[in-house]
Amino acid sequence: MTADQLYHDPELAQFYDAENEWTDGLEYCRRLAAPCASVLDLGCGTGLFAATLAQEGHCTVAGADPAAAMLDIARVRSGGHLVRWLPADARTLRLDERFDLIVLTGHAFQVFLTRDDQAAVLRTIASHLRPGERFIFDSRNPLVEEWKEWTPEQSQRTLAHPQLGAIEAWNDVSRDAASGVVSYDSYYRVKASGRLYSARSPIAFPAQGQLAELLQEAGLRATSWLGGWDERPCTADAPEIIVMGTLRT
């Protein structure tokens, strides 16, 4: 799996927070973390969730991500000094400790394109989860075919960057029918200067049945399948596949 420049290139990583503010998913995970003494945020990105949680002071927080450019942003954000940041890949991370909650949000699971990679991530979760405690991750429902909306015409938006000002942003997309992998292009044009930044990002759309098989093989058990962060059921027309579970005994 090659490094995605959208996250690894500092010039592109700087747009992440402008695109991704506090979400319903992060708020949901924040409530899950309330009774926990320790939390591992896999694929923590720029660290908004991990730093926010650490500032609340009721648990220790570790955030893992392979992208140095994202962790550089995470370290200097408010609360960042309270988090243990780990420059690590979710497929291979191995710590000699276990956590009360493991989260993998923001559709980070979808950057793992093959079954082997997805299985490796779930084994990492199983290796670090305290018995009786919970994990949660999300993935877009392939049956909804959300990628069809990621066209230049439908994805036009304006972002506010703290230094660069207004940013015109849009996407384009293609899909490999054989593998089901979707590749989307992200474009950011600075209105003041006209400078254009771009990157291509491949992501997978595993089906619920595939995820269920992978969980079992990793020694994990799903306790609930949600179709959205509003706790709607995971039906064919639900936008999300959100898996919450524990170790299989």
Side-chain angles (χ1 to χ4, degrees):
M1 191 169 75
T2 58
D4 189 331
Q5 294 308 299
L6 192 62
Y7 311 118
H8 287 261
D9 184 340
E11 290 199 327
L12 288 158
Q14 67 175 320
F15 298 111
Y16 186 86
D17 283 348
E19 286 268 48
N20 299 276
E21 299 178 345
W22 191 264
T23 64
D24 291 341
L26 296 185
E27 187 58 38
Y28 190 97
C29 293
R30 184 184 187 180
R31 293 194 297 271
L32 284 183
C36 298
S38 59
V39 175
L40 173 61
D41 185 3
L42 281 177
C44 64
T46 60
L48 178 59
F49 175 70
T52 300
L53 203 60
Q55 281 185 302
E56 294 178 355
H58 61 80
C59 62
T60 61
V61 184
D65 201 286
M70 303 292 268
L71 291 181
D72 285 345
I73 296 171
R75 291 186 182 96
V76 298
R77 71 161 60 253
S78 178
H81 65 290
L82 301 171
V83 180
R84 177 165 45 125
W85 302 112
L86 304 167
D89 190 306
R91 295 169 296 180
T92 55
L93 174 69
R94 289 297 182 272
L95 304 170
D96 189 21
E97 60 187 297
R98 292 183 179 261
F99 297 83
D100 296 336
L101 176 66
I102 299 177
V103 302
L104 181 65
T105 58
H107 305 120
F109 188 79
Q110 291 183 249
V111 307
F112 302 102
L113 304 182
T114 68
R115 192 182 195 282
D116 286 347
D117 284 342
Q118 294 159 5
V121 174
L122 296 181
R123 287 194 297 269
T124 294
I125 291 175
S127 296
H128 295 87
L129 189 62
R130 185 165 287 122
E133 303 299 344
R134 293 182 290 185
F135 69 87
I136 190 167
F137 69 90
D138 59 353
S139 188
R140 297 176 183 88
N141 184 357
L143 298 177
V144 176
E145 299 182 330
E146 182 184 331
W147 62 83
K148 291 184 175 180
E149 301 174 2
W150 301 348
T151 64
E153 297 76 19
Q154 297 183 77
S155 62
Q156 291 280 347
R157 57 202 181 275
T158 300
L159 309 175
H161 189 282
Q163 284 81 44
L164 300 177
I167 307 294
E168 295 175 334
W170 68 94
N171 299 104
D172 205 349
V173 67
S174 62
R175 180 176 181 269
D176 180 74
S179 66
V181 170
V182 171
S183 295
Y184 68 95
D185 298 298
S186 298
Y187 296 95
Y188 302 101
R189 178 181 286 123
V190 181
K191 283 192 174 183
S193 67
R195 180 173 179 182
L196 180 65
Y197 302 79
S198 66
R200 168 160 286 200
S201 305
I203 55 174
F205 281 76
Q208 183 177 357
Q210 294 173 280
L211 294 174
E213 291 178 2
L214 288 165
L215 289 170
Q216 183 171 3
E217 292 170 13
L220 298 169
R221 177 174 63 90
T223 55
S224 65
W225 296 88
L226 304 177
W229 293 107
D230 55 3
E231 299 189 307
R232 72 182 71 182
C234 189
T235 57
D237 60 350
E240 304 281 347
I241 302 174
I242 302 170
V243 192
M244 182 159 54
T246 188
L247 288 170
R248 188 158 48 87
T249 57

mmCIF file of all heavy atoms in Angstrom, residues 29 40-42 44 104 110 115 131 141 185 215 225 229 232 234 242 246:
data_model
loop_
_atom_site.group_PDB
_atom_site.id
_atom_site.type_symbol
_atom_site.label_atom_id
_atom_site.label_comp_id
_atom_site.label_asym_id
_atom_site.label_seq_id
_atom_site.Cartn_x
_atom_site.Cartn_y
_atom_site.Cartn_z
ATOM 1 N N CYS A 29 -18.290 8.618 19.809
ATOM 2 C CA CYS A 29 -17.140 7.951 20.422
ATOM 3 C C CYS A 29 -16.731 8.628 21.726
ATOM 4 O O CYS A 29 -16.246 7.965 22.652
ATOM 5 C CB CYS A 29 -15.973 7.918 19.448
ATOM 6 S SG CYS A 29 -16.266 6.860 18.005
ATOM 7 N N LEU A 40 -7.350 4.051 22.704
ATOM 8 C CA LEU A 40 -6.433 4.044 21.569
ATOM 9 C C LEU A 40 -7.199 4.513 20.337
ATOM 10 O O LEU A 40 -8.206 3.912 19.954
ATOM 11 C CB LEU A 40 -5.879 2.634 21.341
ATOM 12 C CG LEU A 40 -5.033 2.420 20.077
ATOM 13 C CD1 LEU A 40 -3.788 3.302 20.071
ATOM 14 C CD2 LEU A 40 -4.642 0.938 19.932
ATOM 15 N N ASP A 41 -6.713 5.581 19.724
ATOM 16 C CA ASP A 41 -7.304 6.124 18.504
ATOM 17 C C ASP A 41 -6.419 5.706 17.340
ATOM 18 O O ASP A 41 -5.363 6.286 17.098
ATOM 19 C CB ASP A 41 -7.398 7.645 18.609
ATOM 20 C CG ASP A 41 -8.104 8.289 17.427
ATOM 21 O OD1 ASP A 41 -8.569 7.551 16.541
ATOM 22 O OD2 ASP A 41 -8.177 9.527 17.401
ATOM 23 N N LEU A 42 -6.850 4.674 16.615
ATOM 24 C CA LEU A 42 -6.106 4.192 15.450
ATOM 25 C C LEU A 42 -6.449 5.061 14.243
ATOM 26 O O LEU A 42 -7.614 5.379 14.018
ATOM 27 C CB LEU A 42 -6.480 2.739 15.149
ATOM 28 C CG LEU A 42 -5.843 1.635 15.994
ATOM 29 C CD1 LEU A 42 -6.410 0.279 15.576
ATOM 30 C CD2 LEU A 42 -4.332 1.630 15.853
ATOM 31 N N CYS A 44 -5.456 8.225 13.789
ATOM 32 C CA CYS A 44 -5.914 9.416 14.510
ATOM 33 C C CYS A 44 -5.858 10.685 13.679
ATOM 34 O O CYS A 44 -6.414 11.714 14.062
ATOM 35 C CB CYS A 44 -5.103 9.608 15.786
ATOM 36 S SG CYS A 44 -3.344 9.944 15.512
ATOM 37 N N LEU A 104 -11.549 3.618 15.440
ATOM 38 C CA LEU A 104 -10.962 3.792 14.106
ATOM 39 C C LEU A 104 -12.044 4.481 13.275
ATOM 40 O O LEU A 104 -12.884 3.823 12.668
ATOM 41 C CB LEU A 104 -10.577 2.441 13.510
ATOM 42 C CG LEU A 104 -9.934 2.416 12.122
ATOM 43 C CD1 LEU A 104 -8.583 3.100 12.126
ATOM 44 C CD2 LEU A 104 -9.785 0.983 11.625
ATOM 45 N N GLN A 110 -11.222 2.261 5.458
ATOM 46 C CA GLN A 110 -11.328 2.093 4.012
ATOM 47 C C GLN A 110 -10.020 2.329 3.266
ATOM 48 O O GLN A 110 -9.929 2.000 2.074
ATOM 49 C CB GLN A 110 -12.419 3.003 3.458
ATOM 50 C CG GLN A 110 -13.818 2.574 3.894
ATOM 51 C CD GLN A 110 -14.895 3.446 3.283
ATOM 52 O OE1 GLN A 110 -15.543 4.214 3.987
ATOM 53 N NE2 GLN A 110 -15.082 3.353 1.982
ATOM 54 N N ARG A 115 -8.026 -7.618 1.464
ATOM 55 C CA ARG A 115 -8.535 -8.419 2.581
ATOM 56 C C ARG A 115 -7.434 -8.665 3.605
ATOM 57 O O ARG A 115 -7.680 -8.639 4.806
ATOM 58 C CB ARG A 115 -9.081 -9.746 2.050
ATOM 59 C CG ARG A 115 -9.900 -10.525 3.077
ATOM 60 C CD ARG A 115 -10.385 -11.855 2.515
ATOM 61 N NE ARG A 115 -11.430 -12.430 3.345
ATOM 62 C CZ ARG A 115 -11.230 -13.059 4.497
ATOM 63 N NH1 ARG A 115 -9.978 -13.184 4.956
ATOM 64 N NH2 ARG A 115 -12.233 -13.549 5.190
ATOM 65 N N PRO A 131 -10.025 -7.461 27.588
ATOM 66 C CA PRO A 131 -11.197 -8.349 27.588
ATOM 67 C C PRO A 131 -12.406 -7.676 28.244
ATOM 68 O O PRO A 131 -12.297 -7.044 29.293
ATOM 69 C CB PRO A 131 -10.721 -9.554 28.403
ATOM 70 C CG PRO A 131 -9.238 -9.589 28.172
ATOM 71 C CD PRO A 131 -8.814 -8.140 28.112
ATOM 72 N N ASN A 141 -21.214 2.287 3.379
ATOM 73 C CA ASN A 141 -21.972 1.156 2.853
ATOM 74 C C ASN A 141 -21.833 1.109 1.326
ATOM 75 O O ASN A 141 -22.272 2.023 0.631
ATOM 76 C CB ASN A 141 -23.443 1.310 3.244
ATOM 77 C CG ASN A 141 -24.287 0.128 2.819
ATOM 78 O OD1 ASN A 141 -23.811 -0.796 2.176
ATOM 79 N ND2 ASN A 141 -25.553 0.165 3.187
ATOM 80 N N ASP A 185 -10.061 11.873 -6.593
ATOM 81 C CA ASP A 185 -9.108 12.969 -6.663
ATOM 82 C C ASP A 185 -9.635 14.131 -5.830
ATOM 83 O O ASP A 185 -10.824 14.479 -5.922
ATOM 84 C CB ASP A 185 -8.921 13.429 -8.107
ATOM 85 C CG ASP A 185 -8.366 12.321 -8.984
ATOM 86 O OD1 ASP A 185 -7.249 11.865 -8.712
ATOM 87 O OD2 ASP A 185 -9.066 11.915 -9.925
ATOM 88 N N LEU A 215 -13.986 -10.153 11.161
ATOM 89 C CA LEU A 215 -14.071 -10.036 12.614
ATOM 90 C C LEU A 215 -13.902 -11.396 13.273
ATOM 91 O O LEU A 215 -13.146 -11.549 14.249
ATOM 92 C CB LEU A 215 -15.417 -9.431 13.016
ATOM 93 C CG LEU A 215 -15.643 -7.957 12.712
ATOM 94 C CD1 LEU A 215 -17.102 -7.587 12.941
ATOM 95 C CD2 LEU A 215 -14.742 -7.066 13.557
ATOM 96 N N TRP A 225 -24.447 -3.529 14.868
ATOM 97 C CA TRP A 225 -24.169 -3.005 13.532
ATOM 98 C C TRP A 225 -25.086 -1.810 13.346
ATOM 99 O O TRP A 225 -26.314 -1.956 13.355
ATOM 100 C CB TRP A 225 -24.463 -4.048 12.460
ATOM 101 C CG TRP A 225 -23.607 -5.267 12.502
ATOM 102 C CD1 TRP A 225 -23.827 -6.400 13.219
ATOM 103 C CD2 TRP A 225 -22.401 -5.489 11.773
ATOM 104 N NE1 TRP A 225 -22.835 -7.319 12.990
ATOM 105 C CE2 TRP A 225 -21.948 -6.782 12.105
ATOM 106 C CE3 TRP A 225 -21.665 -4.724 10.870
ATOM 107 C CZ2 TRP A 225 -20.776 -7.333 11.568
ATOM 108 C CZ3 TRP A 225 -20.505 -5.267 10.325
ATOM 109 C CH2 TRP A 225 -20.067 -6.558 10.676
ATOM 110 N N TRP A 229 -24.469 7.278 12.653
ATOM 111 C CA TRP A 229 -24.131 7.684 14.010
ATOM 112 C C TRP A 229 -25.367 8.104 14.814
ATOM 113 O O TRP A 229 -25.279 8.332 16.020
ATOM 114 C CB TRP A 229 -23.099 8.794 13.993
ATOM 115 C CG TRP A 229 -21.775 8.329 13.460
ATOM 116 C CD1 TRP A 229 -21.228 8.621 12.252
ATOM 117 C CD2 TRP A 229 -20.846 7.446 14.110
ATOM 118 N NE1 TRP A 229 -20.019 7.981 12.107
ATOM 119 C CE2 TRP A 229 -19.753 7.260 13.228
ATOM 120 C CE3 TRP A 229 -20.836 6.798 15.354
ATOM 121 C CZ2 TRP A 229 -18.667 6.454 13.552
ATOM 122 C CZ3 TRP A 229 -19.739 6.004 15.677
ATOM 123 C CH2 TRP A 229 -18.677 5.841 14.788
ATOM 124 N N ARG A 232 -29.328 4.473 13.627
ATOM 125 C CA ARG A 232 -30.270 3.785 12.743
ATOM 126 C C ARG A 232 -29.742 2.380 12.458
ATOM 127 O O ARG A 232 -28.534 2.131 12.541
ATOM 128 C CB ARG A 232 -30.439 4.566 11.439
ATOM 129 C CG ARG A 232 -29.233 4.494 10.525
ATOM 130 C CD ARG A 232 -29.409 5.312 9.271
ATOM 131 N NE ARG A 232 -29.355 6.750 9.547
ATOM 132 C CZ ARG A 232 -29.515 7.667 8.606
ATOM 133 N NH1 ARG A 232 -29.764 7.311 7.357
ATOM 134 N NH2 ARG A 232 -29.427 8.946 8.927
ATOM 135 N N CYS A 234 -28.470 -0.985 10.470
ATOM 136 C CA CYS A 234 -27.586 -1.163 9.318
ATOM 137 C C CYS A 234 -28.353 -1.916 8.227
ATOM 138 O O CYS A 234 -28.285 -3.134 8.101
ATOM 139 C CB CYS A 234 -26.330 -1.930 9.729
ATOM 140 S SG CYS A 234 -25.077 -1.981 8.434
ATOM 141 N N ILE A 242 -21.300 0.729 10.689
ATOM 142 C CA ILE A 242 -20.565 1.046 11.914
ATOM 143 C C ILE A 242 -20.586 -0.193 12.799
ATOM 144 O O ILE A 242 -21.659 -0.673 13.176
ATOM 145 C CB ILE A 242 -21.180 2.250 12.649
ATOM 146 C CG1 ILE A 242 -21.197 3.480 11.725
ATOM 147 C CG2 ILE A 242 -20.396 2.548 13.934
ATOM 148 C CD1 ILE A 242 -21.997 4.640 12.269
ATOM 149 N N THR A 246 -16.526 -6.481 20.725
ATOM 150 C CA THR A 246 -15.605 -6.831 21.794
ATOM 151 C C THR A 246 -14.812 -8.061 21.368
ATOM 152 O O THR A 246 -14.977 -8.560 20.253
ATOM 153 C CB THR A 246 -16.384 -7.074 23.093
ATOM 154 O OG1 THR A 246 -15.476 -7.236 24.182
ATOM 155 C CG2 THR A 246 -17.275 -8.320 22.993
#
